[in-house]
Amino acid sequence: MRAQPKGSHFINGAWVEDESGAIIESIHPANGEVIARLHEATPEIINKALEAAQRAQADWAARAPVERGRILRRAADLLRARNHDLSVLETLDTGKPLQETLVADAASGADALEYFGGFAATVTGQTIPLGRDMAYTLREPLGVCAGIGAWNYPIQIACWKAAPALAFGNAMVFKPSEITPLSALALAEILCEAGLPAGLFNVVQGRGAVGAALATDARVAKVSLTGSVPTGRKVYAAAATGIKAVTMELGGKSPLIVFEDADLDNAVGAAMLGNFYSSGQICSNGTRVFVQRSVKAEFLEKLKARAARIVLGDPLDESTQMGPLVSEEQMTRVLGYIAQGQGEGARLVCGGTRAGESGCFVQPTVFADVHDDMVIAREEIFGPVMTVLDFEDEEEVITRANATDYGLAAGVFTRDLARAHRVVGQLQAGTCWINSYNLTPVEMPFGGVKASGVGRENGHAALEHYTRVKTVYLGLGDVESPY
Ligand code: NAD
C-alpha cells in the first residue's frame, strides 16, 4: 500500500521538496504499514509559501467575486468526481472506514467549496444615512490566512478553512496534521486544476513548530486552528502577540441528554453515532450521555445489543463499520482511559479492550453508573468510549451538563418540544441538536464556547471570520470647522 505524493509540499501551484526537513511518516493504522514518507517544512519552505501567498493575494482580491466563486465550484465538482480515490486516500491515512469516508470527508469538503463558491458574489456592505452625509462599509479580505488542521477529518478541515478564505479574497497557507498529511496535498492539486491561481492555497508539512512559525509570522493576518485545547491556548497566545484574528475549533466533552419521553431507539442510535462514528474521534461527540433514571435500564439494554453488532475490521472493506484509531499513540491513550474508568468504579457494559492483536483497534466501549467527577466523564478521550450518567430532573441535568470547561456541542432527546427548546436555551454549547446528533451541514455555523473555541466555521457566520469591515465616511457638504 503506497500513497506517496509527488512532493511533501505544494507551493505556488507546484510540488516542492526539501529533503533537509525532518521525516514525517504516514502510517496506515489498520496494519502499521508506512504509506508515505514526507519531509517537514524548513524555514525556507515556510518562507516560500508565505511569500507566494502574499504575492498572489492582491490580484485575487481584485477579481470579481463571481469569478472566484466559479473556480471554487469547479473544484467542488472535481472533488465529487474523484470522491472514491480521495476516500481511499483518507481511509489509508486515518484508518476511518471507507463506508464513512465515501460519504463524509471529500464529500463534505465539496459542499464547503460549493457553498462558499456561491456565497462569494453575494457579499455586500451597508450604506448608512447620516443626515446630509452618509457612510458605507466594504467587506475586505484579511490577507494571508494560516490554516492548521487536526487528523480526524483532514480534507474536510482543509476545505472548511480554505473555501471561505478563498471565496472572500484571501490566500491560505495550510499545515495539515503531521499524522494525516496527504489529502490536503490532493486538495491543493485539485484547486489548481480548477483554475485557482498559483500561490493562493499552499500546503506545508510539519509538526507543531511549523504551525507555530505560521502563527507568529508577521505576514499572516489570521490563524484558524482545529485541534486540542492545549494547542489552542498556545496558538491563540501566539496570535494575540501579533494582534491577529483567530478561529479556534477545539475539543469537547459534550452532553447528550435523553429524557424519559424520548424515542429511545432514536436516542440510542444518536448516542452510538455520537460516540462510535470515526471510532469516536470527533470533537463534537456526545461523550457524556445523561439518561433519565426511569429509562436507564431499557436504554442500556438496547445500546448493548446494538453495540454488539458493530462490524469492526479492515477499513478498506466497505462492509466495515468501525476501523482502527488513527495511531498507536491514540490507541494507548484511549486504553489508558478505559483502565482508569474501571479503576474509578464505572461499570463496563460492553467493550473495554483492544480488538485483535495487530492494528490500532479498540472495541466500542460503554461505561454505565458514571459519576461527574470521574476522569472519564471530565476529559476528552477521543476514542470509542461512551459514558452513561443517570439523572432525575431537568434542572439537575442542565447544571451538570454545563459543569465543564468545554462548550462545543450538546444534544437533547425528548418528544416534548417546549422542554427541548427550554433546555437548549440554557446549555452552554456552540452547537445544539434536538432529536438528532452530530450532523454538521455546511449551511449551519459550527464552533464552540468556553474552552472549546472562538469563532465559527461554515454558514453565513464564516464571513465574519474571513473578512473585515472598512467604514467610509462620505462628506457631502462643506466642512464645519470652528478653526
Ligand atoms: P493537536 O492539538 O495535537 O494538533 C492540532 C494541530 O496543531 C496539528 O496540526 C499540530 O501539528 C498543530 N500544533 C501542535 N502544536 C502547535 C503549536 N504550538 N503551534 C501551532 N500548531 C501546533 O490536535 P489533534 O490531536 O491533531 O486533534 C485532536 C483534537 O482536535 C481533539 O481535541 C479534537 O476535539 C480537536 N478537534 C476539534 C474540532 C472542532 O471543530 N472543534 C474538529 C476536529 C478536532
Side-chain angles (χ1 to χ4, degrees), residues 26-43:
S26 169
I27 294 169
H28 181 47
N31 59 15
E33 262 183 54
V34 175
I35 55 166
R37 226 170 238 114
L38 295 92
H39 293 274
E40 232 178 317
T42 55

Side-chain angles (χ1 to χ4, degrees), residues 229 233 250-251 405-407 448-454:
V229 173
R233 287 189 207 284
L250 309 177
D405 291 340
Y406 293 112
V449 301
K450 294 158 75 179
S452 290
V454 177

